[in-house]
Amino acid sequence: MKEINLSTNHPELRADEIFLLNVDSEYRLGNSQVVRIKPESALQMNFNKLPYANKRMGKIAYDSEGKENPEERPVFVNRLEFEQKNLHNV
């Protein structure tokens, strides 16, 4: 099956953003142990851990084949901030 490039083709993507990743509805500690909390809380905690000031959580996550994933949410980041941060991390 053909993979979809969500970085440029996500339906919720705005012109000044990139699709970064999908956040999970499970929260893991540093040792990968899953902590049992409400899925909505886990999504928000995972989102808050991302090191970007200009980010937003979308509504519908898709896998690489374009299928909806109800356990996750997409995260979009300001394109300029992403590019600047990655220039400093090279």
Side-chain angles (χ1 to χ4, degrees), residues 5-82:
N5 182 352
L6 293 172
S7 296
T8 56
N9 294 317
H10 197 289
E12 298 176 58
L13 186 67
R14 296 177 184 162
D16 62 340
E17 296 176 328
I18 63 137
F19 164 75
L20 184 65
L21 53 74
N22 289 328
V23 288
D24 198 341
S25 59
E26 289 185 336
Y27 187 75
R28 291 179 174 77
L29 299 176
N31 62 3
S32 296
Q33 177 184 359
V34 175
V35 179
R36 292 190 178 271
I37 58 176
K38 292 180 181 178
E40 301 83 23
S41 297
L43 285 166
Q44 192 61 51
M45 291 173 74
N46 289 330
F47 176 78
N48 291 343
K49 287 193 304 187
L50 297 171
Y52 295 94
N54 298 295
K55 62 187 176 198
R56 69 179 179 88
M57 191 182 318
K59 297 187 184 308
I60 301 173
Y62 299 92
D63 67 16
S64 62
E65 296 176 349
K67 296 177 187 168
E68 289 186 21
N69 183 344
E71 304 297 320
E72 298 181 347
R73 296 288 180 272
V75 176
F76 305 95
V77 176
N78 176 272
R79 182 180 306 277
L80 181 60
E81 180 183 359
F82 178 81

